[in-house]
Amino acid sequence: MGTSMNGSWKLGNKMTALVVDDDSINQTIHHRLLEKLGIENQVARNGKEAIDIHCSGKKFDLILMDRDMPIMNGIEATRKLRAMGIRSLIAGVSTRSLKQEIQEFMEAGLDDYQEKPLTSAKIISILHKIDHSGSISLTRT
Amino acid sequence: MASTPLRQQLSIMRQSFFDEGILDYGQVSFLETLENEDDPDFIENVFSLFLRDSTRYIASIDKALETTPADYPVLEGMIYRLKGSSASIGAAKINDETNKLRGFFGEGDLEGAKTSLQNLKAEHAIFKQKLSVYVGMLKQAKLSEC
């Protein structure tokens, strides 16, 4: 299936990520997936936690943002982060597949959208966007 | 790793899950690549998490549907959580039934949703029974190999 996990990514700078998801299974899988790619990451359980983490001064290269979460959903959290001036690459991750649902999420300020389940191929596709933006030096070893 | 009788049994069980459509081969194979010496219990942990949380989500959906009027915000939240986690873990039949339930919910067909929930619960019961045995045997196999 898809892209092998055997290839490793050599980073010019240490990449960091924030996983924003209310579901413990997705938190565990996405955290481990990023970890295996050499990306230092932490988990927020909802949009408000993600905002609070940023308000504490932390910044990330990549944010994986779930759409449906309690307290603050991914759409609202993405809007708030952009209003705060956060320029991290924000990839929406959801099971929603209707065009208008995806569009609503994208219009909140996403750079990318991937439908769950996340795979290594989908993450690498997201990482390529960071690479092409020139903000991170990323080469395949 | 030596192919002990327990490991052979596990391999047969694993294949049966794919053959019966309970688990998606592609997604499970991918999850298995995330397990290594840094995180040797990853598969057991995610399956155990799903067994625990899916039970809770389904119970919440059941309660929300039986409430008068039905608790739509809770229903929507729980359906999407179950949809997401079942897709991520490769629980194919549970994911299919959750999608059907979501369809009825989306159309406002609560009676259809209640019937669909019964099918989901039936699939979940089968999944829970089989995966609980598998996870238990996986733990046993690892302990015997230490």
Side-chain angles (χ1 to χ4, degrees), chain B residues 40-52:
Chain B
D41 301 325
F42 177 76
I43 288 293
E44 285 163 47
N45 289 340
V46 288
F47 278 148
S48 298
L49 270 174
F50 183 74
L51 287 169
R52 182 196 72 187

Side-chain angles (χ1 to χ4, degrees), chain A residues 1 5 22-26 28-29 32-33 36 68 70 95-96 98 101 116-120, chain B residues 26-27 30-31 33-34 36 39 42 46 49-50 52-53 57 76 80-81 83-85 87-88:
Chain A
M1 167 200 174
M5 286 289 289
D22 61 324
D23 177 71
S24 57
I25 294 119
N26 287 319
T28 305
I29 293 173
R32 179 72 189 128
L33 172 52
K36 204 151 191 252
D68 298 288
T95 55
R96 303 256 186 173
L98 294 178
E101 291 174 325
K116 284 176 182 171
L118 270 189
T119 61
S120 54
Chain B
Q27 190 59 19
F30 165 64
L31 291 177
T33 67
L34 300 181
N36 62 12
D39 198 347
F42 177 76
V46 288
L49 270 174
F50 183 74
R52 182 196 72 187
D53 288 355
Y57 296 160
E76 187 177 42
Y80 276 111
R81 275 191 181 182
K83 189 168 184 277
S85 58
S88 294

Side-chain angles (χ1 to χ4, degrees), chain B residues 65-124:
Chain B
L65 271 174
E66 292 305 322
T67 303
T68 308
D71 192 337
Y72 280 91
V74 167
L75 261 173
E76 187 177 42
M78 288 297 143
I79 287 172
Y80 276 111
R81 275 191 181 182
L82 186 59
K83 189 168 184 277
S85 58
S86 60
S88 294
I89 202 98
K93 284 193 175 181
I94 291 178
N95 187 255
D96 284 345
E97 290 302 331
T98 307
N99 279 326
K100 288 175 190 170
L101 173 60
R102 181 185 163 274
F104 285 114
F105 171 73
E107 289 165 13
D109 182 354
L110 289 184
E111 288 310 309
K114 286 177 183 175
T115 305
S116 182
L117 179 61
Q118 297 314 309
N119 296 335
L120 172 58
K121 284 162 92 171
E123 285 301 337
H124 184 258

